[in-house]
């Protein structure tokens, strides 16, 4: 607050107590209160930390141990296991490739060797079991499913089980695996259940080659089961999104039939 000097005014040599009280800034009191509160809060925080420091140390230690364990598992278990699985799968992969590229009765025999193993090496069945969780084991699961699918007959349920167990992410192989389940179900006389798997195959890895192919399969099977609405949906998608696909002419013919059947 501003102070004006008057003519003839002489300041008092010793300010009176009352003047001190009036000139005292309230903000000093407020600041003191704030620091007091902060001190109390700091003391409480220190007390809480002191009281719970053992629990905090345990939590920090557990986090550190978890990170170290994950690193150690990946470094000393997962990676070496992956390498061993790849080495172990050499014979199974060789016979699987031979089976894929062969014809006639020899084909089933080669798939059988790929599944059971040869020359002291694991087959696809053992690889999928022993190296579950590795990329090589996962691939063996897919290959085993496709091997059983190609053998067919009483092996179709095994094909379905293995292909369902395969974890393909959003890869092309996932699409093939889904379609493989659909094929196995159709061969097993469960066409009604196959449609959804063909649709899943079409969506698993969207591209101009496999997507219209699996959509057409879904539509064809749907028509045989009387599921005309699904057939129309799949065929219209081909017509709208894949006009240059090899399946377009067949899709357009079937679309007319599906719409007519729906009316």
């Amino acid at each position: 607050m501003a102070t004006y000097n008057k003519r003839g005014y002489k300041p008092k040599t010793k300010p009176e107590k009352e003047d001190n009280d009036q000139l005292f800034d309230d903000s000093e009191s407020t600041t003191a209160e704030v620091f007091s509160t902060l001190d109390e809060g700091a003391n409480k925080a220190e007390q809480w930390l002191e009281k719970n420091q053992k629990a905090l140390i345990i939590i920090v230690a557990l986090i550190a141990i978890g990170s170290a364990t994950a690193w150690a598992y990946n470094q000393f278990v997962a990676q070496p296991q992956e390498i061993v699985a790849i080495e172990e799968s050499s014979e199974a992969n060789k016979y699987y490739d031979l089976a894929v590229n062969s014809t006639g009765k020899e084909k089933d025999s080669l798939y059988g060797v790929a599944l059971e193993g040869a020359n002291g090496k694991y087959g696809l069945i053992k690889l999928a079991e022993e190296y579950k969780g590795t990329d090589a084991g996962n691939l063996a699961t897919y290959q085993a499913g496709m091997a059983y699918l190609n053998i067919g007959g009483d092996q179709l349920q095994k094909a379905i089980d293995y292909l369902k167990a395969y974890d393909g992410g959003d890869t092309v192989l996932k699409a093939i695996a889904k379609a493989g389940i659909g094929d196995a179900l159709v061969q097993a006389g469960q066409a009604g259940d196959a449609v959804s798997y063909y649709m899943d195959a079409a969506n698993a890895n969207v591209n101009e080659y496999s997507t219209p192919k699996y959509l057409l399969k879904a539509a064809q099977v749907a028509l045989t089961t009387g599921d005309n609405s699904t057939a129309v949906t799949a065929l219209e998608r081909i017509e709208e999104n894949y006009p240059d696909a090899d399946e377009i002419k067949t899709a357009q013919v079937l679309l007319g039939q599906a719409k007519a059947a729906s009316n």
Side-chain angles (χ1 to χ4, degrees):
M1 181 177 68
T3 303
Y4 296 91
N5 292 327
K6 295 182 181 178
R7 183 176 298 176
Y9 171 78
K10 293 182 179 179
K12 297 178 181 179
T13 55
K14 293 182 180 181
E16 296 179 2
K17 186 176 183 300
E18 183 179 353
D19 292 337
N20 276 336
D21 292 340
Q22 291 175 349
L23 293 174
F24 183 78
D25 192 347
D26 289 341
S27 64
E28 292 180 10
S29 176
T30 303
T31 302
E33 291 176 5
V34 169
F35 278 112
S36 176
T37 302
L38 288 174
D39 287 339
E40 290 177 8
N43 289 333
K44 289 180 180 179
E46 288 173 3
Q47 291 170 9
W48 186 90
L49 287 171
E50 186 176 330
K51 181 180 179 182
N52 296 280
Q53 62 179 330
K54 289 184 178 180
L56 290 171
I57 290 171
I58 292 172
I59 292 170
V60 172
L62 287 174
I63 293 172
I65 291 170
S67 299
T69 301
W71 177 85
Y73 177 82
N74 184 61
Q75 190 74 15
F76 300 111
V77 179
Q79 289 184 10
Q81 190 177 34
E82 190 74 63
I83 293 171
V84 173
I86 292 171
E87 292 174 350
E88 189 66 44
S89 64
S90 58
E91 289 297 303
N93 285 330
K94 181 178 77 174
Y95 282 99
Y96 181 84
D97 290 340
L98 288 171
V100 169
N101 295 302
S102 65
T103 56
K105 295 180 180 180
E106 184 185 24
K107 194 177 189 75
D108 287 355
S109 177
L110 290 169
Y111 274 127
V113 176
L115 286 163
E116 298 298 333
N119 302 320
K121 295 290 186 180
Y122 283 167
L124 298 173
I125 298 171
K126 202 71 174 177
L127 287 166
E129 178 183 341
E130 294 293 327
Y131 298 103
K132 185 177 181 181
T134 67
D135 291 339
N138 190 41
L139 179 60
T141 300
Y142 163 82
Q143 291 174 318
M146 296 304 292
Y148 281 124
L149 175 61
N150 280 277
I151 294 171
D154 59 357
Q155 304 299 309
L156 289 172
Q157 186 57 53
K158 290 181 180 179
I160 294 169
D161 292 341
Y162 274 99
L163 292 175
K164 281 185 176 181
Y166 171 64
D167 181 10
D170 59 351
T171 64
V172 172
L173 288 185
K174 180 181 179 180
I176 297 173
K178 292 290 186 181
I181 297 172
D183 290 344
L185 288 168
V186 169
Q187 291 181 43
Q190 303 173 49
D193 296 329
V195 176
S196 63
Y197 284 100
Y198 287 132
M199 293 298 287
D200 287 344
N203 296 323
N205 185 270
V206 178
N207 60 76
E208 295 182 358
Y209 170 72
S210 65
T211 300
K213 175 183 177 181
Y214 297 139
L215 286 172
L216 182 62
K217 275 195 169 188
Q220 289 171 324
V221 175
L223 284 172
T224 66
T225 63
D227 186 0
N228 298 314
S229 62
T230 299
V232 169
T233 298
L235 295 168
E236 284 183 337
R237 186 172 162 189
I238 297 173
E239 187 176 53
E240 293 173 5
N241 298 331
Y242 305 99
D244 298 324
D246 293 338
E247 294 79 11
I248 188 63
K249 290 183 179 179
T250 303
Q252 289 173 335
V253 172
L254 291 178
L255 181 59
Q257 295 176 3
K259 287 182 175 180
S262 299
N263 296 330

